[in-house]
Amino acid sequence: MNRRKFLASAAAGTAVASTLAAPALAQAHPEIKWRLASSYPKSLDTIYNGAEQIARRVADLTENKFQIQSFGAGEIVPGLQTMQAVRDGTIEMTCTSPYYYIGVDPTFAFGSVMPFGLNTRMQLAWMWQGGGNELLNEFYAKHNIYGLPAGNTGCQMGGWFRKEIKTVEDVKGVKIRIGGYAGRVFQKLGGVPQQIAGGDIYPALEKGTIDAAEWVGPYDDEKLGFNKVAPYYYYPGWWEGNSMVGALMNIEKWKALPKLYQDAITTACAETCNWMMAKYDVLNPAALRRLVASGTQLRPFPPAVLDAFFKATNEVNSEIAATNEPFKKLLEHHNNFRSEGYLWWQVAEYSMDTYNIRTRAQQKG
């Protein structure tokens, strides 16, 4: 073949291929824009910024064809109503704590954490590899939602109190801001739970509308200024041995996405789980030191108080499971995973942690 004719023919073929391929590519990977309303205020640069992390990574992974615009609590949807907005199609997506919606159904709590439940690694293992996310999405589908793990704060603190908690009797009558399922446990022991969005907690505590409040941990609590209005800081947050953030999406919008875009969200959410936990592990120790140096009184919950809360938790679980089949199904699955998980944790992780804590104390002494 004449070389000049060959090159001309090849160029023409390339032009035709490009003309045909471009529309096909555009059709397979269209430009899509979503709105994500977070349940957290923008001032909390870790738990809120998980939404920003997801948006950035999705844009990167789709060459900016799929863009997610994130909004803080209250900007377009009140912080405690984002799930309903996703369900109803007002927005496509939220980053939230699913246990905020136990008033709709207590089963939502499993999308965050159960009192005396799993630690962070176990929660993610249960969700990613243990079948938890599949079971949750069976439940979410009834609410027109698809969900993925999208962050974790790790084990939280037990909250800020105006007075000391020395006995179970001291819990009675305490008006406490507490998120999700644990409020029902406090109520069982005579406490008065209040569910208040993060940005509204400080004024309620300052004015005495509430007597106590829990949020996340030292870094975020310091930012919100709780140490200025309540002296006693309790641990551990028995209701949140971890606290998983959920990326909840309108199920029809999710199903309509090209697979590449679904994979991008899944990848971005998984990366954000690791990013958020790592950031909190770096920021919390220094924040706790600052809080104690400024006069915060650090207190452990007394063992008898923890025992009472544990007993009350099991009672609440049994009461709900007796009338709520989705809750019962997830509870049994979750508790079986917890039993196996802590058996292994005791042999390996806990024994190593205990040794390191003991030797650190000896070295300081």
Side-chain angles (χ1 to χ4, degrees), residues 63-303:
E63 298 182 343
N64 290 316
K65 294 242 178 123
F66 184 15
Q67 296 194 6
I68 300 173
Q69 184 178 7
S70 56
F71 298 86
E75 288 190 316
I76 56 173
V77 180
L80 300 182
Q81 296 176 27
T82 62
M83 181 279 291
Q84 293 90 332
V86 169
R87 177 193 63 194
D88 298 340
T90 305
I91 54 175
E92 290 83 11
M93 184 175 182
T94 179
C95 282
T96 188
S97 297
Y99 64 16
Y100 289 159
Y101 311 106
I102 62 165
V104 177
D105 190 313
T107 312
F108 274 101
F110 291 97
S112 293
V113 62
M114 291 294 288
F116 297 101
L118 304 170
N119 66 24
T120 304
R121 267 184 40 191
M122 289 181 201
Q123 181 79 21
L124 292 174
W126 180 58
M127 292 293 287
W128 283 336
Q129 299 291 333
N133 202 50
E134 289 79 5
L135 284 177
L136 260 175
N137 276 314
E138 285 181 19
F139 165 71
Y140 285 156
K142 299 172 184 176
H143 297 272
N144 204 36
I145 283 169
Y146 179 80
L148 290 167
N152 206 298
T153 67
C155 185
Q156 296 195 0
M157 292 292 284
W160 299 86
F161 290 74
R162 291 182 176 277
K163 67 174 187 177
E164 289 188 83
I165 303 297
K166 296 179 179 179
T167 69
V168 178
E169 288 296 311
D170 293 330
V171 176
K172 291 182 178 178
V174 171
K175 298 188 295 291
I176 180 170
R177 181 278 170 196
I178 190 163
Y181 193 83
R184 298 193 177 197
V185 181
F186 263 93
Q187 195 168 25
K188 197 139 187 98
L189 295 182
V192 184
Q194 311 283 320
Q195 186 143 286
I196 303 172
D200 300 324
I201 299 172
Y202 180 91
L205 195 57
E206 182 183 37
K207 293 173 184 176
T209 307
I210 55 176
D211 307 306
E214 63 81 35
W215 180 240
V216 176
Y219 181 70
D220 284 347
D221 292 1
E222 182 186 37
K223 275 183 167 290
L224 293 177
F226 298 149
N227 56 307
K228 300 173 185 176
V229 288
Y232 300 107
Y233 197 23
Y234 275 87
Y235 67 91
W238 48 264
W239 51 90
E240 294 186 86
N242 80 93
S243 189
M244 192 172 67
V245 175
L248 305 184
M249 293 160 277
N250 180 279
I251 198 166
E252 297 305 323
K253 295 289 186 180
W254 166 260
K255 289 179 178 178
L257 289 176
K259 186 175 184 305
L260 174 67
Y261 293 4
Q262 291 180 345
D263 291 345
I265 290 182
T266 302
T267 298
C269 287
E271 289 178 0
T272 300
C273 285
N274 293 326
W275 171 86
M276 189 179 293
M277 188 67 261
K279 190 171 181 185
Y280 273 122
D281 279 346
V282 168
L283 296 172
N284 276 330
L288 184 60
R289 286 184 178 276
R290 290 193 298 269
L291 289 168
V292 171
S294 72
T296 292
Q297 300 295 305
L298 196 61
R299 296 281 191 275
F301 281 119

